[in-house]
Amino acid sequence: MTDLESRAQPGDHQALRLWLRMLSCTTRIEDALRQRLRQRFGTTLPRFDLLAQLDRFPEGLTMRALSQRLMVTGGNVTGVVDQLEAEGWARRTAHPQDRRAILVQLTPAGRRQFRKMAAEHEAWVVELLGHLSPAQTQQMHVLLSALKPQDPSHDSAH
């Protein structure tokens, strides 16, 4: 099977070739994680990502905040929250300061299940990237940070 990088031609700009290499690597890792989440936990990566956001905010997040954080439509979030609520992993509650908004929170069962998934997910990521030395990992992190816009709310001295 060919990957996205196979689209590159010898005369293509180096930046395009780099983009296809990064995309190809990301896709391969993400595909492995998707498959493992499905096989081990019967869940999807979007569900895992939504659970991860809720785990970070025990007080809950609004549907709009979830959509923004996950960079998906409100309809996508609603569908996943509906599923998680039906399984007893999440609950919707009225927002205490905004009657128009609904907060979504993990239930204790949802938090326990997510933490099991998160521990295995982390181990899988470590395994998938484990062939890199600590120095290579650090070097890639530094190099890729040049591509990520700096958050103006963080002082560069920190």
Side-chain angles (χ1 to χ4, degrees):
M1 182 173 111
T2 59
D3 60 25
L4 296 167
E5 192 174 0
S6 66
R7 297 179 188 175
Q9 300 296 312
D12 287 344
H13 193 281
Q14 193 173 13
L16 177 61
R17 295 173 62 78
L18 174 60
W19 163 243
L20 291 171
R21 166 81 45 102
M22 290 188 314
L23 188 57
S24 179
C25 291
T26 300
T27 300
R28 285 180 177 215
I29 293 166
E30 194 172 81
D31 287 349
L33 294 172
R34 283 179 195 280
Q35 181 180 20
R36 291 175 186 198
L37 282 168
R38 187 173 49 256
Q39 289 174 344
R40 175 72 175 95
F41 295 104
T43 197
T44 64
L45 193 54
R47 285 170 51 116
F48 178 85
D49 291 342
L50 192 143
L51 291 167
Q53 290 301 315
L54 293 177
D55 188 60
R56 289 183 182 100
F57 295 90
E59 69 281 2
L61 289 168
T62 64
M63 297 290 275
R64 181 169 189 216
L66 280 167
S67 294
Q68 290 171 336
R69 290 177 168 280
L70 297 169
M71 295 183 284
V72 297
T73 67
N76 289 346
V77 169
T78 299
V80 174
V81 170
D82 287 347
Q83 294 169 5
L84 295 173
E85 193 171 38
E87 293 171 27
W89 291 9
R91 69 175 163 262
R92 290 176 172 105
T93 59
H95 193 289
Q97 286 86 33
D98 185 351
R99 291 188 327 216
R100 297 167 296 162
I102 300 293
L103 282 177
V104 182
Q105 297 172 295
L106 286 179
T107 63
R111 190 169 310 282
R112 283 191 302 275
Q113 185 62 19
F114 170 73
R115 298 236 169 125
K116 286 180 199 172
M117 285 191 271
E120 289 198 38
H121 179 273
E122 182 177 349
W124 298 333
V125 171
V126 170
E127 174 192 331
L128 291 165
L129 299 177
H131 63 284
L132 298 171
S133 71
Q136 288 172 316
T137 301
Q138 177 63 24
Q139 181 182 22
M140 287 182 70
H141 194 269
V142 168
L143 290 171
L144 289 171
S145 70
L147 293 176
K148 188 174 180 183
Q150 294 299 311
D151 183 349
S153 67
H154 289 91
D155 184 341
S156 60
H158 291 291

